[in-house]
Amino acid sequence: MGEKKVSGRVPEAAQRRVLDGATRQRRLNRQLEALENDNFGDDPQAGLPRPGKPPHFADTAETGKKKKKTRGDHFKLRFRKNFQALLEEQNLSAAEGPNYVSACAGPSRLPQRHFCAVCGFPSAYTCVTCGARYCSSRCLGTHQDTRCLKWTV
């Protein structure tokens, strides 16, 4: 007769690494820490001098009235505080009663929602190799080409 046809996916599946649950969780934690470290710094352009006046574009017809200028914007831009500085200034950890630092909600009674790691839509599928979620074959292809096991060392 002839040779029997062999699936092209079988050898590929044998070479693929499959991670267990603990390894997936460690990988996820490592990714989150990398994102936190990346987003930790303040705006690098905050100290740069701003150019004089921004250009004025008249969107509406001139009514003859001049708008009153406010000087508070200059101080708001110059003495900006980040969220952590505002929390420390309020000293909410020592205050009594629920506040931003001490308030927390209980666990949800509903099951956890799962979203696609590529596009953000609700997902129904999980990558066999790394456990990431995806919603369609198009997102699976993008995931396998660019993201799957990218940060695994």
Side-chain angles (χ1 to χ4, degrees):
M1 285 243 182
E3 292 183 25
K4 187 176 180 183
K5 290 187 178 182
V6 179
S7 172
R9 293 193 285 172
V10 173
E12 179 185 311
Q15 295 171 354
R16 192 182 322 168
R17 278 178 52 186
V18 178
L19 303 179
D20 63 337
T23 307
R24 288 179 181 173
Q25 190 62 38
R26 283 195 305 269
R27 179 177 174 264
L28 180 63
N29 289 339
R30 194 169 40 235
Q31 289 174 350
L32 289 175
E33 286 175 15
L35 283 174
E36 288 291 332
N37 291 337
D38 187 36
N39 293 334
F40 181 70
D42 289 333
D43 184 14
Q45 298 176 350
L48 295 177
R50 302 218 184 255
K53 290 184 176 180
H56 177 69
F57 301 107
D59 290 336
T60 59
E62 294 293 323
T63 58
K65 283 175 130 181
K66 283 192 173 182
K67 244 186 173 179
K68 187 176 182 181
K69 293 183 180 178
T70 58
R71 295 185 176 262
D73 294 340
H74 167 71
F75 292 105
K76 288 178 186 174
L77 292 174
R78 188 167 175 210
F79 301 108
R80 258 192 319 214
K81 297 179 183 175
N82 61 11
F83 188 66
Q84 189 64 34
L86 290 172
L87 283 178
E88 289 174 3
E89 182 180 289
Q90 293 292 326
N91 197 11
L92 292 176
S93 59
E96 290 185 24
N99 55 42
Y100 184 83
V101 176
S102 65
C104 66
S108 175
R109 294 182 306 230
L110 301 174
Q112 183 181 9
R113 295 188 295 173
H114 301 288
F115 297 101
C116 179
V118 178
C119 68
F121 285 135
S123 67
Y125 312 107
T126 306
C127 176
V128 177
T129 307
C130 68
R133 309 284 289 179
Y134 63 93
C135 65
S136 64
S137 59
R138 185 176 179 186
C139 287
L140 174 63
T142 303
H143 169 72
Q144 288 177 336
D145 291 342
T146 60
R147 294 173 170 86
C148 192
L149 296 179
K150 179 183 173 192
W151 287 315
T152 303
V153 178

